Structure formats: structure tokens, C-alpha cells
Amino acid sequence: MPAKGDHDARRRDVSEAVWRVVATAGFTGLTMRAVAAELGASTGLVTHYFPSKALLVRHALDLAAERTDERPLRTPEAPGLAALRAAVLDVAPVDGDAVAMNRVWVSSWDLALADAGFGAAQAARYTRWRAKLARHVADAQERGEIGAGDPADLAARVAAFTHGLVTQALFDPEAFGAARQERLVDGFLDSLRAGAPARDS
Amino acid sequence: MPAKGDHDARRRDVSEAVWRVVATAGFTGLTMRAVAAELGASTGLVTHYFPSKALLVRHALDLAAERTDERPLRTPEAPGLAALRAAVLDVAPVDGDAVAMNRVWVSSWDLALADAGFGAAQAARYTRWRAKLARHVADAQERGEIGAGDPADLAARVAAFTHGLVTQALFDPEAFGAARQERLVDGFLDSLRAGAPARDS
């Protein structure tokens, strides 16, 4: 019988394999066999940890949430617009880890839109994200960095832009390299300045 | 043996059922059995038209492309910003048909990101869409309706905003009703006016 530590280490290996499979083959490609192949192990080992396809899928969704919540975030130099910029770039697929994270989330939307429970969890997640963005928007308005407007609507605009940038960059990584993504983010954020209180010039 | 006309009519019924299944249960939920249940027929009838799951999926993807390309579009009052607005609202999920269309597309992203051939087709589709948006942007710049900037980058910004609005509205239809979506679209388009050539006031 393996020691507890071995068991936990093995479970982490299986988790890693699940993550890599979903990040490349999506939820459609997430099968016991694919995880076993990624791991170089038998499907029996995978079913030992995840006895059903539903549990395997559930684990992949949990991994997406955990990895997203625990990833290192940018430290903005200031609150307001700089913090908003950091929050957008924390989501944009500008490096390999962020690409994998986004691929898993975008792939999960098929499931989430069809399952009331998971769809509600996803909607709640996005509501929290928009609330966070709205706080940065309100800070930026207070600092005179962006124009007037309902912070919730402006946050929805930022969230929309960010999610859509993710989609385009995932489908066309050559046309949307990291440098262009940053340029697009900065162009978009500049457009929020429209109507900002005039400063003495 | 049924007449050719009967066969075609039956095939259209099966197609309709495929569409309704994907629009509610996603590609994950697209099975012979679900289509048969939606149709109130046997799975044998479905497999008569679509002998394999792969052909069923392919048909659903073809339907999405056809229905999207053949849907009625808004007729803008003018080229430029008005045409850009119409193009964005032609995509936004502001009514039942547009919700179904978007659900099918968003659900298809799981497959598309995992399959090189279909992913390339999807990427090409979005490239054409951005090119169309870029023409409206250039027209709007010529008409002095929006500010300077690379039309391709501005079109990417519009496409990003639109796709992200789709995602948020699909997950949270209560928070993103048609009226709010229109308000968000107009707020976003207003922000493009920033830096537009000053008019005599």
C-alpha cells in the first residue's frame, strides 16, 4: 500500500495531466484514455482517482477555478486606471500559462451554458469579476482618470472587451501576439478617458 | 419508398431538431438520442440521416455557419458609425434567434480550439468579420465620426467588445437584457468618437 505522501503526489501528477489534456484538447477531448496517455499510465490508474467521466470533468472545472484564483497577479503602481489595466492584463492570454487558463475556461463554456448549476456558478464568477473591475473604474473616476458614467456599465464594457480579446487571441495567436494585445488594451483604456474632467494644461 | 420531397422535408425537420438541441444542450449534449427525443422519433431515423456522431457535429457546425450567413441583417441609415452599430447589433444576443445563434457558436469553441481544421475555419471567419468591421471604421473616420487610429486595431477592439458582450449576456441574461445591451453598445461606440476631428460648434 503506498504511503499517503505517494498517493498525494500521484494525485497531483494526474491533476497535471488532466489540465494539460483540457488545455489542448478541450472538454470534448477530456477522456480517461487521453489523461492516461498524457500520464504514460493505464486508464485504471486514472479511474482510481476519477471513477467516472463526470468526476473527471468536475475536477477539471475545479482546477480551472483554483488555478485562476491562485495565479500570481500583477501589482499595479497605483489604484484606478493602472489597477484596471493590471486586472485586464491578468486575464489576457499574453503568456503560455494565461493561454492555457483561457483555453480551459472558453472550452468550459459549452458545458456551463448547458448545465444550470455550473452555469450559475460561472455567472456568479463573472459578476464578482465585474464588481472588482467596477471598483477600479470608480477609483479611476475619483482620480479624474476616466470620464463619468455608471461604473457597473463601464466595468461591463471592460469585461466584454477583455473576454472578446481572449477569444480572438486564442483563435488567432499569430495575429494577436502579446505586444499587440497590450497595444489593444492600452488603446481601449485610453478610450475610457473620453470625457474625463479636463486638467489644467 | 418516400418521395424525394418527403425526404427533404424530413431532413429539414431533423436539422431543426439538431439546432434546438445544440442551442439548449450545447455540443456536449448533442447525441443521436437527444435529437431523436427532440424530434419525437427513433434514433434509427436520426442515424439514417447522420450515420455517425462526427457527421452530426459537422452538420450542426454547418447549420451555424448557414444560419449566421443567411440571417436578416439590419439596414443602417448611413455608412460609417451607423453601419458599425448595425453590425455590432447584428451579432449581440438581443432576441431569441440571436441568443440561439450565439449559444451554438460559443458552444462550438470547445471543439474549434481542439481541432486544427475547424479552428482554422473559425479563425478565418473572424478575420473576415474584423475586415468588414474595419471597413465601417475607415468609413466612419472618413466621415469624421470617430477618431484616428489603425482601422484594423479599432475593428479588433469592436470585435472584442462584441464577443465579450455575447458571453456575458449568455451567462447572465437577466443582467444583460436587450435594452442594457443596446445602451452598452452605444456607450462603447461613443468612446470611439474620442479624438474625432472637432466640428464647428
Side-chain angles (χ1 to χ4, degrees):
Chain A
M1 202 183 199
K4 177 80 168 67
D6 289 352
H7 183 278
D8 290 352
R10 201 68 179 133
R11 197 177 202 284
R12 272 197 301 280
D13 290 346
V14 179
S15 265
E16 270 300 325
V18 169
W19 184 255
R20 288 194 302 270
V21 167
V22 182
T24 49
F27 280 88
T28 305
L30 178 61
T31 61
M32 303 286 183
R33 191 183 296 200
V35 175
E38 178 70 32
L39 203 56
S42 67
T43 53
L45 179 91
V46 181
T47 53
H48 173 73
Y49 291 95
F50 305 106
S52 72
K53 173 73 189 282
L55 289 171
L56 189 61
V57 166
R58 182 75 251 169
H59 180 67
L61 295 172
D62 288 346
L63 272 183
E66 266 168 39
R67 289 190 173 219
T68 302
D69 295 342
E70 290 165 12
R71 75 196 191 283
L73 299 177
R74 283 162 181 77
T75 309
E77 283 161 30
L81 196 58
L84 190 62
R85 180 178 192 274
V88 170
L89 289 173
D90 280 335
V91 171
V94 289
D95 61 38
D97 283 352
V99 168
M101 180 185 80
N102 279 295
R103 283 198 64 157
V104 173
W105 279 117
V106 171
S107 289
S108 78
W109 290 344
D110 181 27
L111 293 167
L113 287 171
D115 180 295
F118 179 48
Q122 193 87 323
R125 189 169 185 95
Y126 294 142
T127 300
R128 290 195 298 276
W129 180 43
R130 287 194 304 268
K132 177 183 154 180
L133 296 173
R135 286 192 294 275
H136 294 319
V137 165
D139 287 347
Q141 286 175 324
E142 216 162 275
R143 295 164 61 92
E145 294 169 334
I146 70 178
D150 176 10
D153 276 4
L154 289 170
R157 188 195 300 175
V158 176
F161 167 80
T162 307
H163 264 168
L165 181 64
V166 165
T167 312
Q168 290 181 81
L170 288 184
F171 276 109
D172 206 339
E174 284 189 27
F176 292 89
R180 187 177 184 207
Q181 286 186 54
E182 280 209 34
R183 192 173 80 222
L184 289 170
V185 168
D186 285 328
F188 169 74
L189 293 175
D190 270 347
S191 74
L192 297 177
R193 295 178 193 269
R199 288 162 184 269
D200 296 337
S201 54
Chain B
M1 201 179 199
K4 177 80 169 67
D6 288 354
H7 183 276
D8 289 353
R10 201 66 180 136
R11 195 176 203 284
R12 273 197 300 279
D13 289 347
V14 178
S15 266
E16 270 301 324
V18 169
W19 185 254
R20 288 195 302 269
V21 167
V22 181
T24 49
F27 281 87
T28 306
L30 178 61
T31 61
M32 303 285 182
R33 191 183 299 201
V35 175
E38 178 69 32
L39 203 57
S42 68
T43 52
L45 179 90
V46 181
T47 53
H48 172 72
Y49 290 95
F50 305 106
S52 72
K53 173 74 189 278
L55 289 171
L56 189 62
V57 166
R58 182 72 252 169
H59 180 67
L61 295 171
D62 288 346
L63 272 183
E66 268 167 39
R67 290 190 173 221
T68 302
D69 294 343
E70 290 164 13
R71 75 196 191 282
L73 300 176
R74 284 161 180 76
T75 308
E77 282 160 32
L81 196 59
L84 191 63
R85 181 177 191 273
V88 170
L89 289 173
D90 280 334
V91 171
V94 288
D95 60 38
D97 283 350
V99 167
M101 180 185 80
N102 279 295
R103 283 198 65 158
V104 173
W105 280 117
V106 171
S107 290
S108 78
W109 290 345
D110 181 27
L111 293 167
L113 286 170
D115 179 294
F118 179 49
Q122 193 89 319
R125 191 171 183 93
Y126 294 141
T127 300
R128 288 195 300 275
W129 180 44
R130 288 194 304 269
K132 177 185 156 181
L133 296 174
R135 285 192 295 274
H136 295 319
V137 164
D139 287 347
Q141 287 175 323
E142 218 163 273
R143 294 165 62 93
E145 294 168 335
I146 69 177
D150 177 8
D153 277 4
L154 289 170
R157 188 195 299 173
V158 175
F161 168 79
T162 307
H163 264 168
L165 181 64
V166 164
T167 311
Q168 290 179 82
L170 288 184
F171 276 109
D172 207 339
E174 283 188 27
F176 292 90
R180 187 176 185 209
Q181 285 186 54
E182 279 209 34
R183 191 174 80 221
L184 289 171
V185 168
D186 286 327
F188 170 73
L189 292 174
D190 270 347
S191 75
L192 297 178
R193 295 179 192 268
R199 289 165 184 264
D200 297 336
S201 54

